[in-house]
Amino acid sequence: MIDFLKEHQTLILVFLPIAVGFAGACLGAWLQARGGVAQAKAAEAAAKTAATATLQAVREQADHAATAAHAAALREQRISAATNVIRADRALGRVLHTMFREPDTDSTPAYDELLHAWGAVQLVAPTSLTTASTRVLNASQDVQRLARQRGEAYRLYRQLKGVRVWAPEYEDARRAVEALDAFRTAYAGEAANMMEVHDAASAALDRLPALNSEQASALLNDCLEPEIGPLLAQSGREHNEAMDAFVSCARAVLGIDD
């Protein structure tokens, strides 16, 4: 081996730098290639990270937009539901007011509208507002019950009291009112002569040709109940308080400040 190197020393010296240069070039190319691959992988990883972050941002933005849209839609539904309760309650109130003054007034359609509006609140509103709406419904039901059970008698009684002095039927109407008041007082006090007072009131009503037997019975049966005036006033106060509480609660739920 040594002899071979000595014999070819000159040739080796010529080609050795070339070989070393070639090897160095190859090594440099290999290292550069390795660096390029690493750089490419780093770029790819950065791109994936950026894409993931962008996708996450897009998803979060979409989720935020969806949440905001849902909140806005729910708010509009709650506004509509609360508004319909107020509207339907006022409409029923007008009908009930009429029932105490005009015959043959039906409150069923107006009550059904309020019931429908109340049901909508139960679906879209929080517990606080559903509770407040139920209080409004119950208060309206109390007034409706008075109107249905005693509205006719109240209307007839007011007509009797409203007869003018110059009217031919004034004296008979006045005596009928006095007899009805006496019967109500006797019944409330469980007087011993209650039936005599009843018969006197019935006879006084018979002297009014404008009244039929059903109307006379309605007036007499109403005397078995407490005077309606204070009951109406109490029911009205309770209804107004319930509606005020409902409106205040609705404003709080909707975030409406003065």
Side-chain angles (χ1 to χ4, degrees):
M1 183 66 180
I2 295 174
D3 292 338
F4 176 81
L5 292 176
K6 288 180 178 181
E7 292 176 359
H8 297 85
Q9 180 177 3
T10 302
L11 184 62
I12 292 173
L13 290 174
V14 172
F15 285 100
L16 181 59
I18 298 174
V20 172
F22 178 76
C26 290
L27 179 60
W30 181 77
L31 291 175
Q32 186 177 4
R34 286 285 302 270
V37 171
Q39 186 176 4
K41 288 183 178 179
E44 181 183 4
K48 288 182 177 179
T49 301
T52 301
T54 301
L55 180 60
Q56 181 64 25
V58 171
R59 287 176 175 172
E60 290 178 356
Q61 185 176 4
D63 291 343
H64 178 74
T67 300
H70 174 73
L74 182 59
R75 189 174 191 276
E76 289 300 319
Q77 290 175 343
R78 288 174 173 176
I79 291 175
S80 176
T83 301
N84 285 337
V85 166
I86 296 172
R87 177 193 56 77
D89 181 76
R90 288 176 177 172
L92 177 60
R94 289 191 293 270
V95 174
L96 297 180
H97 181 79
T98 303
M99 290 179 70
F100 287 101
R101 286 163 175 77
E102 297 180 10
D104 303 324
T105 303
D106 185 11
S107 64
T108 301
Y111 174 73
D112 288 344
E113 285 293 322
L114 177 58
L115 199 62
H116 177 77
W118 171 82
V121 171
Q122 306 303 300
L123 292 176
V124 302
T127 303
S128 59
L129 192 57
T130 62
T131 300
S133 69
T134 300
R135 184 182 172 189
V136 171
L137 179 66
N138 290 339
S140 294
Q141 288 174 336
D142 289 341
V143 179
Q144 184 188 44
R145 189 177 301 109
L146 281 174
R148 284 180 169 177
Q149 295 177 355
R150 305 184 62 184
E152 175 72 358
Y154 179 80
R155 182 182 65 83
L156 294 171
Y157 182 82
R158 286 178 61 87
Q159 285 182 351
L160 291 177
K161 293 195 70 172
V163 174
R164 303 301 181 183
V165 176
W166 57 81
E169 65 273 18
Y170 170 74
E171 284 299 327
D172 288 339
R174 182 182 61 80
R175 291 191 182 95
V177 169
E178 292 174 352
L180 289 171
D181 290 344
F183 177 43
R184 186 186 303 277
T185 301
Y187 182 82
E190 298 181 352
N193 63 338
M194 185 190 312
M195 290 307 301
E196 295 178 8
V197 180
H198 168 273
D199 293 342
S202 179
L205 294 177
D206 288 340
R207 287 192 289 270
L208 299 173
L211 289 179
N212 57 40
S213 59
E214 292 182 357
Q215 292 172 330
S217 295
L219 284 166
L220 290 171
N221 291 334
D222 192 70
C223 292
L224 307 180
E225 303 290 341
E227 187 179 352
I228 194 173
L231 294 179
L232 274 177
Q234 178 182 353
S235 296
R237 285 193 302 271
E238 292 175 353
H239 174 268
N240 290 339
E241 291 171 359
M243 179 53 70
D244 289 344
F246 175 78
V247 172
S248 296
C249 184
R251 288 173 61 89
V253 169
L254 297 172
I256 301 174
D257 299 323
D258 292 333

